[in-house]
């Protein structure tokens, strides 16, 4: 579960307490006014300062290929890439970096921020936290005992059409090439879990079955709770999917409630992709070497949660928000769970 704001500042103090972060040292960010900062990075000054401080202390353990570059410069270039999908010439000139250095810098910083996910992306574990999340979701849509919304998140990539088998593996249900991660979020759009980075044709049920969170849920490690999933998932002991052909009023009400809560994930992903436009096109990808894409996705997920804690608004909507993927069920028949069937009739 996402941390309350005071806890985050305690974390920041603890991180900085282990290193000599010099708050009086000049920063490249100080040379930009607040409006320019948001335009360049889609983040506010306090949020950027928190991110830079958190990265700076962790970078002390990283061996840099170009030790002459300051951490602030590397963070600035990376955040600019996240926000726009390219490194702007103005930023590169400001920090004195060549464009050819960008991939190494972005991959290094992305790995560091992705490594912060244990602190900034967390599933509700204690009883009180689970009850609070479930209460807010039930209040919103009427479905009881739900811990989060589960969905595959697709991110466009480029793949070589000359490698036909590889190309086809990246083509998803909406007929474009992508990589896909599994994300769970809460009612407020905080990311509770992000796992996997697979080729776009991967079935969401396959990801769920092989994911850490999926195994934990199905093995009863999180108690008698559900996650809300779309049509591409099997109705199971802990995943509630919509009724394909509602036959009575209770099932119609459940589908309406399911659609309402499921739309939270669509809104969250749309907001995250507007803030971090690199996620609109992650560039060239090859099957079997997706670690760098995974780090960027996880890093943006970490920064999404941090930006929400600092109440940073996303950039305005431009065009239509991409729909959640319709999903494609596996062909293997599964036994229908009776408790799940009953849960579809208990919407309040």
């Amino acid at each position: 579960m996402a941390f309350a704001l005071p806890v985050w500042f305690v974390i920041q103090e603890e991180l900085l307490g282990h290193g000599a972060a010099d708050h009086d040292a000049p920063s490249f960010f100080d040379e930009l006014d607040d409006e320019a900062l948001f335009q360049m990075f889609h983040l506010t000054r306090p949020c950027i300062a928190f991110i830079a401080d958190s990265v700076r202390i962790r970078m002390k353990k990283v061996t840099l290929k170009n030790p002459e570059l300051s951490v602030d410069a590397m963070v600035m270039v990376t955040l600019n890439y996240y926000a726009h999908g390219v490194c702007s010439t103005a930023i590169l000139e400001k920090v004195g970096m060549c464009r050819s250095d960008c991939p190494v810098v972005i991959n290094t910083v992305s790995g560091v921020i992705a490594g912060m996910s244990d602190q900034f992306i967390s599933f509700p574990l204690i009883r009180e936290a689970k009850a609070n999340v479930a209460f807010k979701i039930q209040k919103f849509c009427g479905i009881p005992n739900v811990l989060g919304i589960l969905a595959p998140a697709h991110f466009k990539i480029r793949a070589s059409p000359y490698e036909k088998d590889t190309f086809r593996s990246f083509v998803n249900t909406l007929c474009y090439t992508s990589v896909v991660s599994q994300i769970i979020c809460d009612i407020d759009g905080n990311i509770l879990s992000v796992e996997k980075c697979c080729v776009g044709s991967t079935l969401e049920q396959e990801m769920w079955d092989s994911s850490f969170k999926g195994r934990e849920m199905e093995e009863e490690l999180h108690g008698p709770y559900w996650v809300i999933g779309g049509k591409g998932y099997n109705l199971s002991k802990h995943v509630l999917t919509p009724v394909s052909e509602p036959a009575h009023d209770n099932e119609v009400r459940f589908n309406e409630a399911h659609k309402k809560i499921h739309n939270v994930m669509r809104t969250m992903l749309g907001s995250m992709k507007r803030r971090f436009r690199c996620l609109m096109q992650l560039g060239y990808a090859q099957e079997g070497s997706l670690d760098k894409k995974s780090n960027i996705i996880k890093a943006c997920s970490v920064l999404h949660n941090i930006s929400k804690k600092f109440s940073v608004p996303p950039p305005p909507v431009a065009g239509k928000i991409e729909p959640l993927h319709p999903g494609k069920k596996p062909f293997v028949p599964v036994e229908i769970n009776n408790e799940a069937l009953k849960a579809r009739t208990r919407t309040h």
Side-chain angles (χ1 to χ4, degrees):
M1 182 179 174
F3 291 116
L5 188 57
V7 178
W8 287 57
F9 290 122
V10 170
I11 290 172
Q12 185 186 33
E13 289 177 5
E14 182 178 347
L15 283 169
L16 300 180
H18 294 320
D22 187 355
H23 294 282
D24 296 324
S27 166
F28 287 111
F29 296 106
D30 296 336
E31 300 172 16
L32 300 171
D33 61 29
D34 290 350
E35 184 178 351
L37 279 177
F38 191 82
Q39 183 179 7
M40 288 287 191
F41 310 108
H42 297 163
L43 299 167
T44 57
R45 190 178 303 278
C47 185
I48 290 171
F50 181 90
I51 294 164
D53 286 342
S54 300
V55 171
R56 187 180 297 111
I57 203 67
R58 290 170 174 269
M59 289 287 281
K60 292 176 183 285
K61 301 178 182 178
V62 177
T63 301
L64 302 178
K65 291 190 175 181
N66 186 353
E68 294 180 2
L69 285 174
S70 71
V71 173
D72 268 7
M74 297 176 70
V75 171
M76 176 174 271
V77 168
T78 303
L79 293 184
N80 180 238
Y81 165 75
Y82 290 164
H84 297 283
V86 294
C87 299
S88 74
T89 301
I91 292 295
L92 293 177
E93 289 178 350
K94 182 179 287 293
V95 303
M97 185 186 300
C98 297
R99 190 169 295 279
S100 59
D101 293 331
C102 288
V104 172
V105 168
I106 292 166
N107 291 335
T108 300
V109 176
S110 296
V112 170
I113 298 176
M116 294 159 55
S117 60
D118 287 347
Q119 289 177 302
F120 299 112
I121 298 176
S122 57
F123 204 72
L125 297 177
I126 63 174
R127 182 182 301 176
E128 292 80 6
K130 292 176 183 177
N132 181 55
V133 171
F135 172 78
K136 292 176 73 173
I137 289 178
Q138 183 171 358
K139 186 177 179 181
F140 177 77
C141 70
I143 304 176
N145 301 322
V146 173
L147 288 184
I149 306 104
L150 166 71
H154 285 262
F155 305 98
K156 291 181 180 179
I157 56 93
R158 290 190 292 271
S160 172
Y162 300 107
E163 300 173 10
K164 292 184 179 180
D165 290 339
T166 298
F167 183 83
R168 281 196 293 266
S169 72
F170 281 107
V171 177
N172 61 35
T173 52
L174 293 182
C175 299
Y176 65 79
T177 52
S178 69
V179 292
V180 58
S181 293
Q182 174 182 287
I183 290 182
I184 302 174
C185 75
D186 66 13
I187 188 63
D188 297 315
N190 297 298
I191 295 176
L192 306 179
S193 172
V194 56
E195 289 188 56
K196 303 285 186 178
C197 182
C198 305
V199 295
S201 63
T202 307
L203 299 177
E204 43 262 59
Q205 184 64 45
E206 290 178 6
M207 284 198 297
W208 176 249
D209 289 340
S210 62
S211 70
F212 291 114
K213 201 57 61 186
R215 291 197 295 268
E216 288 176 2
M217 290 290 291
E218 299 301 341
E219 292 172 7
E220 303 281 356
L221 297 184
H222 293 282
Y225 288 97
W226 309 91
V227 290
I228 295 293
K231 295 178 181 178
Y233 294 97
N234 293 326
L235 181 69
S236 68
K237 191 188 301 183
H238 293 285
V239 179
L240 283 179
T241 60
V243 181
S244 57
E245 297 180 3
H248 50 74
D249 289 346
N250 283 345
E251 291 182 341
V252 170
R253 282 196 297 271
F254 174 83
N255 274 7
E256 291 172 350
H258 187 285
K259 181 178 179 180
K260 184 179 181 181
I261 186 66
H262 206 234
N263 195 52
V264 170
M265 175 65 79
R266 176 173 175 262
T267 302
M268 185 280 291
L269 288 175
S271 173
M272 187 164 76
K273 288 182 179 182
R274 291 201 311 277
R275 189 186 305 281
F276 306 117
R277 289 177 184 162
C278 68
L279 298 177
M280 302 292 286
Q281 175 52 258
L282 282 173
Y284 185 74
Q286 288 182 307
E287 189 174 1
S289 58
L290 298 179
D291 288 349
K292 293 176 182 177
K293 307 302 182 191
S294 177
N295 278 345
I296 291 174
I297 293 166
K298 189 169 285 189
C300 288
S301 299
V302 168
L303 298 182
H304 167 84
N305 279 0
I306 292 176
S307 66
K308 286 186 67 65
K309 286 303 175 184
F310 279 87
S311 301
V312 184
V317 176
K320 294 182 179 180
I321 299 177
E322 181 182 337
L324 289 176
H325 282 246
K328 184 177 179 181
K329 281 193 174 182
F331 298 110
V332 180
V334 294
E335 184 178 348
I336 299 298
N337 183 270
N338 287 329
E339 282 302 312
L341 292 174
K342 291 177 183 177
R344 283 169 156 179
T345 66
R346 295 174 187 154
T347 306
H348 300 299

